[in-house]
Amino acid sequence: MEQAYLIAAVWFGLALAAAILAHHFRLSMALVEICVGMVAALAAEKLFYPDAIGATHEWLRFVASVGAVLLTFLAGAELDPAAMRMKFKEVLVVGLFGFFAPFFGCALLARYVLGWDHSASWLAGIALSTTSMAVVYAVMLETGFNKTEFGKGILGACFVNDLGTVIALGVMFAPFTWKTVVFVGVSVLVIGSLPLLTPRLINSYGNRTAAIRTKWILLVLFGLGALALWSGSEAVLPAYLAGMVLAETIGRDNFYVRRLRTMTLGFLAPFYFIRAGALASLPAIWSAPAAFLLLFGGKAVSKILGLVPVVGLFRSDAKERWYYTLMMSTGLTFGTISAMYGYHHGIVDQTQYSLLVAAVIASAVIPTMIANALFLPRHLLSTIPPEALPPEQWEARPAVRKEPRSGPKKSPHQDPTSVELA
């Protein structure tokens, strides 16, 4: 038990260091956590022994997986159903082009340039076709764009893109058995009933029993996650769908959403992002730099060539267009999941797996850094509600923030979050 506490202390020390570095360098904390994880894993291996920081421990894998599930749920819950219906054409077209362009481009690159066999090439196309919902959502939160129609469009397109990845992996590689039918049937039944059951549960017990909403959401996510893994799918897919159908119900209570974010981003997400970096082998990248650059470049170029003209149909401003495209060029969650699936089932070998994971992680870091440094559409910050804008973005806000309207003053002792603990 003391080893688990020691490893947890080390990981939160890394998370704290990442938060400080992200503040000083004005970078996304999720990306810095990935980089910190890569460096920490290499340093621990050189100074002590492989996996000295415990990235492969089962309990840590579970906590990191829960972090990915809750991040994905929150990303789905951020979607405004009305906005999604209005932007249906945009998210569908951008999402489909964002999937098919790198899927075919990277598959052809792996087959005819790197010389991989057919199965490994198609898996490379699937792994490198993804966007990172976890990274994009974290960046949207840090910038405040999650409250704008611009950010909601990006999140919606990410969902369509990743849905294409999951379907391709299932159709081409995952076995379709009676378990798959059970998983789909139960998921449709449970997720379809959430908009009816959740409001009744909240109205009956939400203001009387501490954390009833959190317990209910975790029950649903863990139950569907277990069913997904049992059927050969992934736990993050039903989590996103559950978040989408509960977007209207959960989105009504901003204070509750903030508390759920605090739990996710403060406790769970650092395990996910740092572990994603720790699993990347820097020596493997250094031993085959040409293959790594080809895979990463293939994903980036195919995404950009496929998306810039399409995004331009919906975004005329150059910064908005490039920021949108670069956010869609990220990859992490489903990319690493697809690569790990291929490795565990013998579709790719260890070297191919390492190169794919390295290219996926690089796509999570480099496009986002470029987007935030060069193409951040600061003029859209003026459309973000003041209460939703992160403090670090206040100076970048071009419009003058309006004073609150006159009205009855709230008591300084009145805490709107004290009704329920979580």
Side-chain angles (χ1 to χ4, degrees):
M1 182 63 71
E2 64 273 13
Q3 185 184 22
Y5 273 87
L6 177 60
I7 291 176
V10 170
W11 281 63
F12 277 111
L14 295 174
L16 181 62
I20 295 173
L21 291 173
H23 171 75
H24 286 289
F25 289 99
R26 296 183 178 273
L27 297 174
S28 168
M29 188 161 57
L31 302 182
V32 178
E33 285 174 348
I34 294 173
C35 297
V36 167
M38 296 174 68
V39 175
L42 179 62
E45 181 178 355
K46 296 296 183 181
L47 296 176
F48 301 102
Y49 55 89
D51 197 33
I53 60 175
T56 60
H57 286 204
E58 191 64 27
W59 70 268
L60 200 147
R61 290 177 58 191
F62 171 73
V63 174
S65 176
V66 173
V69 167
L70 277 174
L71 273 173
T72 307
F73 171 81
L74 283 171
E78 287 287 350
L79 296 178
D80 184 351
M84 286 292 294
R85 287 191 292 268
M86 291 178 59
K87 300 174 73 66
F88 177 77
K89 181 179 179 181
E90 174 186 333
V91 300
L92 182 63
V93 172
V94 174
L96 289 177
F97 272 84
F99 165 72
F100 282 111
F103 172 67
F104 288 112
C106 293
L108 292 173
L109 178 68
R111 180 72 182 99
Y112 295 105
V113 178
L114 297 179
W116 294 8
D117 61 36
H118 288 287
S119 296
S121 300
W122 285 121
L123 186 83
I126 292 173
L128 297 175
S129 69
T130 61
T131 58
S132 175
M133 182 59 68
V135 170
V136 172
Y137 177 66
V139 173
M140 294 296 103
L141 279 181
E142 292 172 13
T143 57
F145 286 139
N146 61 304
K147 294 296 183 181
T148 66
E149 57 89 18
F150 176 69
K152 291 173 183 177
I154 295 177
L155 290 171
C158 287
F159 167 70
V160 174
N161 192 147
D162 285 343
L163 185 61
T165 299
V166 172
I167 293 174
L169 183 65
V171 170
M172 299 184 69
F173 295 107
F176 187 88
T177 64
W178 63 272
K179 292 183 178 181
T180 308
V181 177
V182 172
F183 165 61
V184 173
V186 174
S187 297
V188 170
L189 179 63
V190 172
I191 294 175
S193 64
L194 287 179
L196 298 176
L197 295 178
T198 304
R200 294 182 179 181
L201 188 72
I202 293 175
N203 293 334
S204 299
Y205 304 102
N207 296 327
R208 298 177 180 88
T209 307
I212 189 70
R213 285 172 291 187
T214 302
K215 293 171 184 175
W216 167 245
I217 289 172
L218 291 177
L219 169 63
V220 172
L221 295 182
F222 284 173
L224 291 177
L227 188 64
L229 294 172
W230 170 77
S231 68
S233 183
E234 293 298 334
V236 292
L237 179 59
Y240 193 89
L241 296 175
M244 285 184 63
V245 300
L246 289 177
E248 188 173 356
T249 302
I250 299 298
R252 293 173 183 169
D253 191 343
N254 291 329
F255 295 106
Y256 173 70
V257 173
R258 290 179 183 179
R259 293 196 296 274
L260 195 59
R261 285 178 194 161
T262 299
M263 180 184 72
T264 303
L265 298 177
F267 173 58
L268 298 169
F271 283 96
Y272 171 69
F273 288 120
I274 294 174
R275 184 174 183 269
L279 291 178
S281 174
L282 289 177
I285 300 173
W286 294 332
S287 64
F292 160 70
L293 291 175
L294 280 172
L295 290 173
F296 168 67
K299 171 174 181 170
V301 172
S302 59
K303 280 272 191 181
I304 291 173
L305 291 179
L307 284 174
V308 168
V310 176
V311 175
L313 298 176
F314 306 96
R315 292 286 166 181
S316 58
D317 182 82
K319 282 195 172 183
E320 294 178 22
R321 184 166 60 250
W322 279 100
Y323 192 84
Y324 201 139
T325 299
L326 290 170
M327 285 291 101
M328 290 291 295
S329 300
T330 60
L332 188 60
T333 311
F334 285 113
T336 54
I337 286 172
S338 300
M340 192 169 294
Y341 179 91
Y343 178 62
H344 286 164
H345 290 80
I347 301 171
V348 295
D349 58 30
Q350 187 173 16
T351 300
Q352 292 169 329
Y353 165 77
S354 298
L355 290 172
L356 285 175
V357 170
V360 167
I361 292 176
S363 71
V365 177
I366 297 175
T368 311
M369 292 179 65
I370 296 174
N372 286 331
L374 301 179
F375 300 106
L376 184 69
R378 298 184 184 276
H379 59 281
L380 294 180
L381 294 177
S382 60
T383 66
I384 302 174
E387 65 275 9
L389 191 65
E392 59 269 20
Q393 293 291 341
W394 287 350
E395 294 181 358
R397 187 183 177 92
V400 178
R401 298 176 63 206
K402 297 181 180 179
E403 294 296 329
R405 295 180 179 179
S406 59
K409 295 183 178 180
K410 294 182 179 180
S411 169
H413 302 290
Q414 182 181 356
D415 182 7
T417 67
S418 62
V419 176
E420 188 176 346
L421 297 179

